[in-house]
Amino acid sequence: MRTVTQVSDDVIERALEYLTDTDEEFGRQSAYVKMAPYYLKLIKAQHFLTADGTVAERESRAYASQEYKTFIQKLSETTTNVDVMEARRQSAQREIDIWRTISANQRK
C-alpha cells in the first residue's frame, strides 16, 4: 500500500492521462446505460405490435425476442464496464487530490 508521501509525479501523470483517455468512452457508455430503459421500451413495443395472440402472449414474445435478449446482454456488459471505469476514474481523481493537498501543504 502506498503512503501519502509516495505520490510521485509519474503517478499523477498516469492518473491524468487515464482520466483524459477515458472521458469520451465513459461518457458514451454512461449515456448508453441511462438511455437503456427507453430503448428497451422501444424494442418491446416493436415486437409487441407485430406479434399475434393475447396481450400476455404478445408481451411474452416481445421479451423473448432475440433483439431484446441481445440488448439486455449488451446492457449488462456495458453497465459492468461503466461501474468498473467509474471506480478507476475515482481512484485516479483521489491520487490527484492527494497530490494537490500535499503540494499545497508543502508551499506553506
Side-chain angles (χ1 to χ4, degrees):
M1 180 178 217
R2 194 165 44 240
T3 64
V4 172
T5 57
Q6 293 174 326
V7 180
S8 69
D9 290 340
D10 290 340
V11 170
I12 300 308
E13 188 173 328
R14 281 194 308 272
L16 287 169
E17 285 176 7
Y18 178 75
L19 288 174
T20 302
D21 292 346
T22 59
D23 278 345
E24 187 173 338
E25 181 183 0
F26 182 73
R28 288 182 189 281
Q29 289 188 12
S30 293
Y32 184 86
V33 170
K34 288 175 188 170
M35 291 299 296
Y38 305 105
Y39 290 130
L40 285 171
K41 287 179 185 178
L42 179 63
I43 293 168
K44 179 185 167 195
Q46 287 173 336
H47 288 279
F48 183 87
L49 291 173
T50 59
D52 294 327
T54 66
V55 170
E57 290 171 336
R58 293 166 72 181
E59 190 170 81
S60 178
R61 286 188 185 104
Y63 287 128
S65 71
Q66 188 59 46
E67 187 179 4
Y68 194 89
K69 290 177 184 178
T70 301
F71 188 86
I72 291 293
Q73 178 63 36
K74 185 174 180 191
L75 176 60
S76 175
E77 293 167 6
T78 303
T79 301
T80 301
N81 291 343
V82 165
D83 288 346
V84 169
M85 190 180 296
E86 183 176 20
R88 288 180 179 161
R89 288 174 60 83
Q90 288 173 353
S91 292
Q93 186 60 53
R94 267 193 307 277
E95 294 280 2
I96 293 166
D97 292 343
I98 290 168
W99 175 82
R100 187 180 299 144
T101 301
I102 291 170
S103 295
N105 288 339
Q106 289 174 350
R107 281 181 255 154
K108 290 182 180 182

